[in-house]
Amino acid sequence: MTSSTALNEARRATELSALADGDPIDLIVIGGGITGVGIALDAATRGLSVALVEKHDLAFGTSRWSSKLVHGGLRYLATGNIGIARRSAVERGILMTRNAPHLVSAMPQLVPLLPSMNTPSRALVRFGFAAGDGLRKLAGTPASTLPRSRRIDAKRAIELAPTVRRDGLDGALLAYDGQLIDDARLVTAVARTAAQHGAVILTRVAASNATGTSVTLTDQRTGESFDVSGRAVVNASGVWAGEVDPSVRLRPSRGTHLVFDAEAFGNPVAALTIPIPGEINRFVFAMPEQLGRVYLGLTDEDAPGPIPDVPQPTPEETKFLLDTVNTALDVALGPDDVIGAYAGLRPLIDAGEGRTADVSREHRVVESPSGVLSVIGGKLTEYRYMAEDVIDRAVELRGLTASRCRTRNLPLVGAPSNPVATLRSPAELPSSLVARYGAEAPNVIAAASCDRPTERVAEGIDVIRAEFEYAVSHEGALTVDDILDRRTRIGLVAADRDKVVEVAEEFLAI
Ligand SMILES: Cc1cc2nc3c(=O)[nH]c(=O)nc-3n(C[C@H](O)[C@H](O)[C@H](O)COP(=O)(O)OP(=O)(O)OC[C@H]3O[C@@H](n4cnc5c(N)ncnc54)[C@H](O)[C@@H]3O)c2cc1C
């Protein structure tokens, strides 16, 4: 079944009341992060009837706080976890060549060879990069998509990362990995593609009293509740999984990133990858990002206790990141250079003692005594594989009638071969618009009914007015925060956010 990809307030109202009045459905998915939307897409494309409910907004949780990397799995190889390393490389290739080539690009990562890096560490990185090339080949991803690793000289290293420390710089090691234009945009694209294939996607609807065959849903906007029956109920609520199903035990770990104006790093083209002093195989990354920014991450800290809606970075994490990056820079950065910061909680499986950095990133599907199927752990990179696994399990356990998984070759909304992206490009489209919407970019302008659709929302912010309108008309944004903090990431910098709040309000009043 093919439906419109547009998510908006009118569709939400219609589908919410149809769900309240309707017959039981095959599958209810709780949580609109990357895991939940991936499951909804897998289910819908196999012919199952599916409704996904999200308490806040798409990508409200951990899925918008990631490093935005589609990892090749090198890190897991180093810890001997060959299965997950290989799978990550395969999933990266699928995303970059078939599912979402418009949202994932090859990011150069540069490890500067400075005197502070001893010979064994250099050999380890060289070996790791060569192994990464091997993984890429094994996964069938061509070098035209992800170039081979190599050594570069100091001059080239400075061109790619102009503020790298020059004193004693003996060139750099360079490798490539997948980088998302933005994680929350991937979540929205997967959700809209699921809707295109008939899934019901409802934001601001919270689930409670989940059992194997039913859930109470509460519209967060009206406070009204009703019960829904399903043949299977999947808990994909990430770090909140234990609140939805008390039999689930997680060990959240916090990861923090700092946000800089790209000028503070000399407008780099490559990500600076800096070994953490005293650690093996752990690095901090300063990555060039959209909107003229650099994100510097990341930490890995135990985060016990109640789960906040929006986790906050600590001063210690900020200091650690600045101290580490400064070991490789010519001009030291300080707290005044930081223009924003964000933290997210990894939904790690509780494996007892040990550092959270060493806890496996494998996912697990568990059936609780109440019959709820919970999916826990995992990585954004592997969402498609995780979804396939969850639906295979649900089909087997509940005897559902479904076809085989179809997502390997399925283009998401905005990928060139998705049929909705058929409008011809006007000659001059802003490159930032294409980077965020892919082949759908012309639709964003064509669908706009606002004044001055191609004008920027504010001076110095590379987002046009038509994007705000599209967020509301097609991408399910219901509030100013949805537009500023998830459909666009303007809100990561408070000063930028202040400049455009009123513009966003204008679009919600239409
Ligand atoms: C700092 C950091 C960096 C990372 N970097 C990377 C990376 O670069 N690459 C990578 O592959 N992975 C990365 N990860 C891992 C990845 O981000 C997560 O594994 C993934 O985003 C988890 O997604 P999720 O959908 O399971 O959870 P979430 O995104 O948290 O989604 C769960 C959703 O459930 C909703 N919810 C909760 N309770 C209810 C309820 N009762 N009813 C309805 N909805 C509910 C929440 O509002 C939330 O939106 C990183 C993680 C962190 C923390």
Side-chain angles (χ1 to χ4, degrees):
M1 179 165 129
T2 304
S3 312
S4 162
T5 66
L7 297 175
N8 49 46
E9 182 142 22
R11 182 170 183 170
R12 176 183 180 277
T14 309
E15 294 188 341
L16 189 57
S17 50
L19 189 64
D21 299 338
D23 296 330
I25 54 174
D26 289 323
L27 189 74
I28 301 164
V29 181
I30 304 170
I34 191 63
T35 310
V37 296
I39 293 166
L41 176 60
D42 192 294
T45 52
R46 292 196 202 199
L48 296 171
S49 57
V50 52
L52 176 147
V53 291
E54 161 55 51
K55 186 175 181 178
H56 301 279
D57 180 28
L58 294 173
F60 180 84
T62 304
S63 297
R64 68 173 151 146
W65 304 129
S66 81
S67 301
K68 290 115 183 75
L69 294 176
V70 175
H71 286 295
L74 195 52
R75 216 188 125 207
Y76 314 118
L77 202 62
T79 50
N81 209 327
I82 292 162
I84 186 169
R86 196 181 152 274
R87 237 177 19 238
S88 289
V90 169
E91 292 303 322
R92 177 183 63 181
I94 292 174
L95 265 165
M96 293 189 81
T97 58
R98 286 174 265 166
N99 293 164
H102 59 306
L103 296 178
V104 192
S105 51
M107 180 184 78
Q109 286 184 305
L110 177 155
V111 181
L113 296 173
L114 288 162
S116 52
M117 198 175 176
N118 60 27
T119 310
S121 305
R122 291 177 188 209
L124 203 66
V125 172
R126 244 194 329 267
F127 174 75
F129 280 3
D133 288 335
L135 268 179
R136 173 186 57 74
K137 275 193 221 148
L138 196 67
T141 310
S144 54
T145 300
L146 275 173
R148 283 186 193 88
S149 69
R150 60 184 188 276
R151 185 170 174 160
I152 55 173
D153 63 18
K155 183 167 166 281
R156 182 72 186 132
I158 292 164
E159 278 166 13
L160 293 174
T163 58
V164 66
R165 182 168 292 210
R166 296 175 187 207
D167 190 16
L169 182 66
D170 182 23
L173 300 172
L174 186 71
Y176 289 78
D177 211 344
Q179 182 186 35
L180 283 160
I181 181 75
D182 184 52
D183 44 12
R185 289 212 64 77
L186 177 69
V187 174
T188 304
V190 176
R192 289 181 55 210
T193 313
Q196 180 181 22
H197 290 275
V200 168
I201 305 286
L202 298 169
T203 59
R204 298 216 160 65
V205 174
S208 55
N209 306 324
T211 72
T213 52
S214 70
V215 147
T216 302
L217 300 183
T218 305
D219 182 346
Q220 300 298 95
R221 305 189 97 196
T222 62
E224 280 169 31
S225 291
F226 60 92
D227 291 338
V228 186
S229 300
R231 293 179 184 91
V233 174
V234 172
N235 171 17
S237 57
V239 83
W240 293 275
E243 291 176 9
V244 170
D245 181 343
S247 72
V248 171
R249 292 261 175 286
L250 290 175
R251 183 177 173 197
S253 113
R254 191 179 51 253
T256 285
H257 290 81
L258 307 179
V259 182
F260 296 82
D261 193 319
E263 271 180 31
F265 284 84
N267 296 307
V269 180
L272 256 184
T273 304
I274 299 147
I276 298 174
E279 299 257 2
I280 295 172
N281 191 35
R282 281 194 65 207
F283 301 85
V284 301
F285 307 89
M287 300 164 287
E289 302 283 343
Q290 62 162 342
L291 305 179
R293 295 169 180 170
V294 164
Y295 300 160
L296 171 67
L298 81 162
T299 59
D300 201 327
E301 299 288 326
D302 241 325
I307 311 289
D309 274 357
V310 179
Q312 296 299 326
T314 63
E316 292 75 24
E317 288 175 299
T318 302
K319 182 173 179 326
F320 162 78
L321 291 170
L322 285 171
D323 286 350
T324 309
V325 78
N326 282 336
T327 63
L329 296 184
D330 239 1
V331 181
L333 294 172
D336 288 349
D337 294 302
V338 178
I339 58 171
Y342 65 84
L345 296 179
R346 298 176 185 85
L348 301 183
I349 295 166
D350 189 353
E353 294 299 301
R355 298 192 321 168
T356 51
D358 300 329
V359 174
S360 163
R361 268 49 173 170
E362 285 279 2
H363 79 277
R364 212 176 282 164
V365 185
V366 288
E367 186 181 17
S368 74
S370 69
V372 174
L373 289 176
S374 291
V375 50
I376 53 178
K379 299 285 294 174
L380 184 139
T381 304
E382 291 197 51
Y383 82 92
R384 193 210 62 80
Y385 170 81
M386 289 162 64
E388 179 177 350
D389 191 26
V390 170
I391 298 300
D392 281 350
R393 289 285 298 279
V395 165
E396 184 195 319
L397 288 168
R398 301 288 185 268
L400 305 177
T401 306
S403 59
R404 290 168 65 124
C405 176
R406 287 185 45 208
T407 52
R408 266 176 178 261
N409 294 311
L410 191 85
L412 299 182
V413 168
S417 47
N418 188 308
V420 291
T422 49
L423 281 186
R424 274 190 340 123
S425 281
E428 292 277 314
L429 278 176
S431 59
S432 56
L433 189 74
V434 177
R436 286 190 282 271
Y437 298 86
E440 211 195 9
N443 300 23
V444 177
I445 295 175
S449 62
C450 62
D451 297 335
R452 299 165 279 122
T454 55
E455 193 176 292
R456 287 184 176 195
V457 289
E459 205 181 309
I461 299 179
D462 195 8
V463 172
I464 60 171
R465 286 166 55 81
E467 291 179 70
F468 277 16
E469 183 172 340
Y470 208 68
V472 176
S473 64
H474 285 71
E475 297 182 335
L478 300 175
T479 69
V480 166
D481 292 356
D482 296 354
I483 299 176
L484 300 186
D485 299 330
R486 290 169 288 272
R487 299 311 173 277
T488 75
R489 305 310 295 271
I490 295 171
L492 279 175
V493 175
D496 287 349
R497 194 177 204 286
D498 291 346
K499 285 196 224 166
V500 296
V501 167
E502 280 179 17
V503 187
E505 282 167 355
E506 186 191 317
F507 288 96
L508 288 162
I510 284 179

